[in-house]
């Protein structure tokens, strides 16, 4: 290996490509060198931008199958790896590296040794290179057999390929096609077809390029017309390729090399897509794609840098002398360039579109979209979609500039195309283009864009609003073009029926509704104002009565999207115009069938119930209650009615399921305790109850003196005091005594007031209740009453916990006629006394104590 010389020039500028999923991926640009390190020959490529980064480092071996193509390309397959390619900037650099690779491989073949990947058995199988006899009509069967044997192993294929290239075997076989046709020798033609297929399946770039050259292509495809598997059929590939109308030179191309590559690329595509479509394997498919890709790169790179060529090309559109056929060819040529640009690497694609736009690409799009010929419109829409996929911001900038210059705006052209186009494909592309161009959020979220967005948000908060071009474009659209776009929907208001919609109208309405749904999600306040002013929700609801089911589904999708946002504006629009009625009509028409239309309606009502949209639930239940009750094959409508009743404070399940064994007073207590924030609908209190609450407040106010009151436990006392008060032991004893005296007086007052309330007489005065000493027997009844009230309080605690678990809206109104229990009165009295005076809280804190402890405390106090 030391005898191998390194290339003279160590720095060869090159691009590195790697084949991934049948597409060439650009790994970067760098400088290629051939190196010999420790008797190992390598090809290394250092990055042009980062010299320390190695783009490629591969060891040269003799079985990798290096191939040179087009004087600037070297292609090979890594050992157990992907296909690689080096595209050199200069042919001299490619020749130097190729010479280095050839010397290394020849040296490896000469010395053999450990680097030799061929086994001894394989070397014994091919002791000599493959040699084919000189082709004649008589020995085509022998040539066919020898090629089959050689193609059975990688070594034989490599040896056969080298022989074919060295002996120009393809050029020798081509003349026999015409000779066999003259003699009508069908078996020889079938053998020639098999030989040509095997030559293509060798996957050698040089052989394939030789076969599609101007001199050989007709003979090759002529042989491929005779397929042995279809002996009674003959294709006509030559007639297609010989037709001069297939190649149209819009602007003369001076470079003959580029012109040959254009012809070669077209023939390769025809071979791949038509002639060999049935027999291609993956390696051959990749080789053909690689040849086509690199040819397209060379063609586009040359044309987009030729300013004279571009100037002549784009001037045809504005020329008054050029006929429509010439302009059509120019538009189709630009369309093909943009289609090729989709497969180019990003830097080259950016450069191509920049040059095209500078020469008037967007004017070409406007011209094509407004042409009467449908082929113009198809080509123009393809160019526009390709350009939007590349860089929508550039198209928006052009539109905004046209608005400022009072020129024809591209969005208006797209709207006109959408409203008048008959071709469904062009109509769909126009609708998609409108959505992308009017999407202010479609810019890529890079760090710079995010920082800019944050700064714009802060400036808006500070009152310094700077609108972006995308926002200005959206605002201009709503000012001028939005009414024209949605005018077909607006015209439905004057239309008597939607039963006679045409196919084109149905397609247009579907696209308009989808665009409107997109605007609902992307355009915030502008879309709300526009929809309210134009009344579009009502017009879309009108389409729910049409016979076309796919249009009904699109209209339902609009309402599902609007309601799904849970925006009060859209909810109010639906409620205000009673738009649930046509949806319920669809449910009636389709029930009980489980079809897509019926399921979409049911899912809409299920969403409303699941998300608990209370205004909509109330509107549906109040307006369409009778209709909902008639739909019983699903539970969602009955659940909506139940949810509405619970919202109003009525729950029919509370009386029958929660405490069925209790009396009316317990049920009343349950319902009162379960009340939530909604008290409307509760029954009015009678005179006895009202007097009771007033009497309790008066008693609590006179029960104790202010100076004997202890501090409130929750800090609600009106007196100025520390946050936490720790009284002395002596004070505690005095306070406890005062508390028991006050509690005793309260208990006596309550016992005496109970019969008077039942009879409707006036309650005793507070002085009488306070001054009357309490005998021993009422104290025992008081203890029993306290114990009974504690039991009831435990039941109420369980009831309140159960009510919270059910639903906040499942609160019930007041109970049946009858006096509330003593405990509920006591609780209301406590609450009232708490609001009236801080001192009343002393009785509240001791009201739940054990009656036994209270009796012992009273005896000690006495």
């Amino acid at each position: 290996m030391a005898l191998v010389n390194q290339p003279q020039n160590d720095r060869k500028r090159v691009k590195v490509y790697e084949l991934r999923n049948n597409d060439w991926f650009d790994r970067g640009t760098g400088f290629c060198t051939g190196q010999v390190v420790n008797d190992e020959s390598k090809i290394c490529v250092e990055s042009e931008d980062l010299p320390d980064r190695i783009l490629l480092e591969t060891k040269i071996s003799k079985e990798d199958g290096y191939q040179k193509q087009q004087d600037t390309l070297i292609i090979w397959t890594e050992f157990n790896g992907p296909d690689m390619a080096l595209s050199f900037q200069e042919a001299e650099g490619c020749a130097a590296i190729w010479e280095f690779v050839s010397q290394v491989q020849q040296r490896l073949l000469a010395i053999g040794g450990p680097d030799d990947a061929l086994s001894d058995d394989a070397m014994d199988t091919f002791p000599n290179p493959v040699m084919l006899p000189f082709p004649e009509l008589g020995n085509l069967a022998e040539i066919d057999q020898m090629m089959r044997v050689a193609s059975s192993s990688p070594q034989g294929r490599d040896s056969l390929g080298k022989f074919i290239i060295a002996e120009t075997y393809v050029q020798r076989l081509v003349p026999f096609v015409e000779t066999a046709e003259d003699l009508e020798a069908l078996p020889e033609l079938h053998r020639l077809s098999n030989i040509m297929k095997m030559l293509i399946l060798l996957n050698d770039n040089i052989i394939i390029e030789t076969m599609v050259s101007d001199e050989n292509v007709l003979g090759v495809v002529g042989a491929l017309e005779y397929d042995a598997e279809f002996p009674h059929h003959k294709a006509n590939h030559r007639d297609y390729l010989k037709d001069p109308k297939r190649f149209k030179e819009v602007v003369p191309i001076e470079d003959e090399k580029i012109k040959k590559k254009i012809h070669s690329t077209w023939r390769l595509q025809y071979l791949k897509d038509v002639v060999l479509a049935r027999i291609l394997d993956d390696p051959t498919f990749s080789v053909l794609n690689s040849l086509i890709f690199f040819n397209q790169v060379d063609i586009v790179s040359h044309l987009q840098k030729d300013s004279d060529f571009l100037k002549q090309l784009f001037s045809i559109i504005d020329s008054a002398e050029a006929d429509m056929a010439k302009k059509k060819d120019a538009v189709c040529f630009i369309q093909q360039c943009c289609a090729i640009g989709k497969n180019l690497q990003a830097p080259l694609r950016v450069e191509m579109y920049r040059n095209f736009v500078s020469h008037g690409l967007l004017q070409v799009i406007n011209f094509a979209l407004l042409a009467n010929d449908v082929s113009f419109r198809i080509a123009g829409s393809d160019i526009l979609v390709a350009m939007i996929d590349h860089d929508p911001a550039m198209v928006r900038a052009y539109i905004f500039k046209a608005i400022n210059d009072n020129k024809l705006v591209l969005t208006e052209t797209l709207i006109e195309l959408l409203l008048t186009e008959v071709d469904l494909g062009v109509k769909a592309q126009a609708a998609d283009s409108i959505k992308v161009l009017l999407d202010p959020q479609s810019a890529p979220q890079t760090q710079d864009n995010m920082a800019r967005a944050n700064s714009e948000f802060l400036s808006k908060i500070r009152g310094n609003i700077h609108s972006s071009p995308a926002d200005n474009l959206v605002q201009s659209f709503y000012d001028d073009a939005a009414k024209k776009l949605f005018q077909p929907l607006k015209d439905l208001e004057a239309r008597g029926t939607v039963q006679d919609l045409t196919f084109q109208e149905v397609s247009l309405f579907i696209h308009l509704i989808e665009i409107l749904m997109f605007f609902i999600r992307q355009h915030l306040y502008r879309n709300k104002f526009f929809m309210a002013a134009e009344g579009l929700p009502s017009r879309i609801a009108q389409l729910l009565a049409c016979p076309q089911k796919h249009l009904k589904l699109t209209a339902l999708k609009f309402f599902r999207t609007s309601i799904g946002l849970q925006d009060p504006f859209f909810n109010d629009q639906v409620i205000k115009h009673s738009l649930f009625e046509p949806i319920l009509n669809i449910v009636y028409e389709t029930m009980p069938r489980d079809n897509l239309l019926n399921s979409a309606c049911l899912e809409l009502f299920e969403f409303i119930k699941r998300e608990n949209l209370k205004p909509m639930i109330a509107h549906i239940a109040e307006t369409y209650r009778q209709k909902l009750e008639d739909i019983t094959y699903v539970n969602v409508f009955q659940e909506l009615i139940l949810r509405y009743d619970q919202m109003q404070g009525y729950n029919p399940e509370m009386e029958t399921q929660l405490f069925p064994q209790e009396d009316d007073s317990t049920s009343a207590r349950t319902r009162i305790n379960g009340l939530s924030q909604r008290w409307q609908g509760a029954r009015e209190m009678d005179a006895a109850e009202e007097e009771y609450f007033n009497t309790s407040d008066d008693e609590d106010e006179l029960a104790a003196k202010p100076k004997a009151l202890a501090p409130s436990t929750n800090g609600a006392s009106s007196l100025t005091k520390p946050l936490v008060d720790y009284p002395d032991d002596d004070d505690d004893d005095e306070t406890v005594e005062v508390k028991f005296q006050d509690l005793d007086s309260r208990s006596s007052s309550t016992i005496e007031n109970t019969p008077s309330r039942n009879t409707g007489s006036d309650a005793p005065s507070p002085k009488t209740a306070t001054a009357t000493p309490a005998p021993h027997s009422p104290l025992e009844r008081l203890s029993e009453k306290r114990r009974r009230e504690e039991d009831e309080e435990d039941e109420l605690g369980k009831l309140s916990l159960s009510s919270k678990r059910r639903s906040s809206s499942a609160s019930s109104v007041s109970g049946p006629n009858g006096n509330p229990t003593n405990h509920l009165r006591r609780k209301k009295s406590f609450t009232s006394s708490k609001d009236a005076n801080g001192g009343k809280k002393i009785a509240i804190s001791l009201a739940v104590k054990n009656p036994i402890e209270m009796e012992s405390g009273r005896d000690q106090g006495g």
Side-chain angles (χ1 to χ4, degrees), residues 494-555:
R495 189 163 184 166
T497 178
V498 291
Q499 300 294 324
D500 55 348
L501 295 178
T502 64
F503 182 77
Q504 296 295 333
E505 288 177 332
V506 171
S507 175
L508 176 61
F509 288 143
I510 289 176
H511 288 301
L512 291 179
I513 294 174
E514 289 179 349
I515 292 174
L516 192 59
M517 286 189 292
F518 177 81
F519 289 169
I520 286 175
R521 294 189 295 266
Q522 300 299 329
H523 304 162
L524 302 177
Y525 61 93
R526 296 186 183 96
N527 184 262
K528 294 180 181 179
F529 176 78
F530 177 77
M531 289 182 61
E534 299 297 324
L536 294 182
S538 299
R539 307 284 73 78
I540 296 176
Q542 190 175 345
L543 294 173
L544 291 172
C546 70
Q548 291 81 7
K549 292 184 179 180
H550 58 292
L551 181 55
K552 288 183 178 180
L553 285 170
T554 307

Side-chain angles (χ1 to χ4, degrees), residues 398-415:
Y398 164 78
I399 297 174
F400 190 66
K401 183 176 181 299
I403 293 174
N404 295 333
D405 298 340
N406 294 324
K407 295 182 179 179
L408 181 62
V409 183
L410 182 59
T411 52
E412 295 180 359
T413 305
L414 290 172
I415 291 172

